Amino acid sequence: MTTPVPAGQRVLLIEDEPGLVLTLTDRLASEGYETASATDGPSGLGRAVSEAWDLILLDVMLPGLGGFDVVKEIRQQKVTVPVIMLTARGQVVDKVLGLKLGADDYLTKPFEMIELLARMEAQLRRAAASAAPGARRYQFGDFVMDVRKAELSRRGERIDLSAREFLLLKYFIEHREATLTREELLNDVWGYHSMPSTRTVDVHVAWLRGKIEPNVKQPQYILTVHGLGYKFVG
Ligand code: CA
């Protein structure tokens, strides 16, 4: 079974070689990735933990703070994004160390672009598969939902949700991109379809939007599908 890798995945490239940054940024853009780059360890780490990424490409030799320290710190801060480390030729010991510290894969420079793309896709598929229903953490935009703790946070800041709002949002996330009718939501999130009315769904969606949407008049996560219901994207 293969899980398709959705378009527009956000990649953070932490690399100090300008030529490589340029080449990778161009190529990744042509493959449909959104790429941002940081050229030293401290700024890379800052962006890695404060913004939402689908994947991080991390050089080992970096000014300010080395790649090993960056990945170690990323994991200490409980950020679970896949990290592929880029090592110089022949750093065999480094590779083992990188994996021990929490990197998911490594690639030795110079590498073929096709090889990097394949490794990236493998990591993204693995991450997508572990975000399937039943997983403990979901991510969308800047938000992280910890299902076990029943908590939602945005850039590390906790967002207060009622139990029903939490269940509704979780249901939306687990049915990303699907159009969900009010009846379906009422049935699956509330557990009954006759009482209360489908209006209840609209009220809770409005509350939820108030807590997660940057602009409730133009929702970017919970979209209204006119005449049908709602759809969660992100
Ligand atoms: Ca370097």
Side-chain angles (χ1 to χ4, degrees):
M1 186 192 88
T2 55
T3 314
V5 174
Q9 300 273 52
R10 300 194 71 220
V11 176
L12 175 63
L13 171 61
I14 309 176
E15 168 63 64
D16 63 323
E17 267 175 59
L20 191 54
V21 171
L22 209 61
T23 311
L24 286 176
T25 304
D26 275 3
R27 184 61 198 272
L28 292 179
S30 75
E31 296 290 332
Y33 291 101
E34 277 180 40
T35 311
S37 58
T39 55
D40 62 65
S43 67
L45 174 60
R47 294 198 70 175
V49 299
S50 66
E51 297 173 47
W53 304 99
D54 296 300
L55 188 127
I56 294 176
L57 297 176
L58 175 63
D59 185 25
V60 171
M61 296 291 286
L62 286 167
L65 189 69
F68 292 136
D69 290 319
V70 172
V71 71
K72 192 172 150 199
E73 188 59 31
I74 287 173
R75 296 309 184 218
Q76 275 177 356
Q77 298 205 22
K78 310 284 179 217
V79 175
T80 56
V81 58
V83 174
I84 299 178
M85 301 203 69
L86 308 176
T87 69
R89 185 190 288 279
Q91 291 176 310
V92 181
V93 178
D94 287 357
K95 154 197 149 187
V96 175
L97 182 60
L99 295 175
K100 260 191 188 165
L101 291 174
D104 297 282
D105 200 359
Y106 75 96
L107 207 53
T108 305
K109 294 182 195 174
F111 47 79
E112 294 294 330
M113 201 60 207
I114 192 115
E115 174 73 14
L116 175 65
L117 292 170
R119 302 285 187 98
M120 289 174 65
E121 273 184 35
Q123 289 303 325
L124 289 166
R125 280 209 189 87
R126 204 175 57 89
S130 72
R136 290 166 183 170
R137 274 167 73 97
Y138 295 121
Q139 208 176 339
F140 64 97
D142 293 331
F143 294 90
V144 174
M145 171 181 274
D146 186 322
V147 175
R148 280 207 323 177
K149 290 194 204 156
E151 281 178 8
L152 179 73
S153 56
R154 181 171 185 268
R155 296 187 181 195
E157 222 167 285
R158 178 107 178 257
I159 290 161
D160 202 26
L161 294 182
S162 71
R164 190 69 67 191
E165 287 163 356
F166 183 85
L167 291 174
L168 179 60
L169 180 58
K170 178 168 171 278
Y171 192 83
F172 272 127
I173 295 171
E174 288 174 348
H175 296 82
R176 260 178 231 250
E177 307 283 343
T179 298
L180 303 167
T181 64
R182 290 172 177 79
E183 289 74 18
E184 191 177 348
L185 289 165
L186 203 51
N187 192 37
D188 290 353
V189 179
W190 276 260
Y192 40 82
H193 20 220
S194 49
M195 288 286 285
S197 76
T198 50
R199 172 84 189 122
T200 305
V201 175
D202 296 331
V203 170
H204 279 79
V205 164
W207 286 339
L208 205 46
R209 279 175 171 161
K211 293 180 180 181
I212 66 170
E213 297 286 357
N215 178 358
V216 293
K217 295 206 165 98
Q218 286 183 308
Q220 68 181 66
Y221 300 117
I222 305 173
L223 312 184
T224 300
V225 183
H226 290 287
L228 291 171
Y230 297 100
K231 176 158 100 172
F232 182 85
V233 293

